[in-house]
Amino acid sequence: MHKTVFFLFLFSALTASDLFAQTKDQASYDSLKRAMVRLDQELYDVQLNLHKAQNQLQTGILVATLGYTVTIIGGQLLGTNPNVGETLLYVGGATGIVGTAILFKGFKKISLGPPVPRNH
């Protein structure tokens, strides 16, 4: 009788231990799965911001380069044709400034701010 009770007790303890381990493993798996989903979403957000910034940075570089090129041409024309040269200086300078502003906006898309501390 005592042996039967002992074996039943031992069997119950082992079964409960296995159930507890499975529950703990499942909770660990769920936590890992949530972390992976969160990381995947963060990676997508970073890639999307980089894609948006790339287009804006390319546009800004093109506009700024065009504007400053026109400014240089205007400066060259000041000696031979002062009216056209002065107009090109102003138009090119303004265009260059607009291109630089577009570049700054593109860089703001890349900069997501400081990382958020995570609880470990």
Side-chain angles (χ1 to χ4, degrees):
M1 175 76 180
H2 293 295
K3 286 183 182 181
T4 307
V5 172
F6 174 74
F7 284 120
L8 284 174
F9 177 75
L10 182 63
F11 180 74
S12 300
L14 290 175
T15 306
S17 172
D18 286 345
L19 290 175
F20 178 72
Q22 288 175 358
T23 305
K24 188 176 178 183
D25 288 345
Q26 183 65 33
S28 177
Y29 174 76
D30 290 343
S31 175
L32 182 61
K33 188 176 177 182
R34 280 192 304 274
M36 291 295 292
V37 168
R38 185 182 68 234
L39 283 173
D40 186 53
Q41 181 61 42
E42 287 178 12
L43 178 62
Y44 173 78
D45 292 341
V46 168
Q47 288 174 335
L48 182 62
N49 283 342
L50 286 174
H51 177 72
K52 289 178 183 177
Q54 177 186 8
N55 293 336
Q56 194 157 12
L57 291 172
Q58 287 174 342
T59 302
I61 289 170
L62 180 67
V63 171
T65 302
L66 179 68
Y68 295 131
T69 302
V70 170
T71 302
I72 292 169
I73 293 170
Q76 294 295 318
L77 289 176
L78 279 177
T80 58
N81 196 345
N83 290 335
V84 174
E86 186 177 348
T87 302
L88 288 177
L89 279 173
Y90 289 124
V91 170
T95 305
I97 290 170
V98 168
T100 302
I102 293 170
L103 280 169
F104 274 112
K105 289 174 86 175
F107 281 116
K108 282 185 180 180
K109 286 184 180 175
I110 292 175
S111 173
L112 302 173
V116 178
R118 292 197 169 87
N119 297 331
H120 294 292

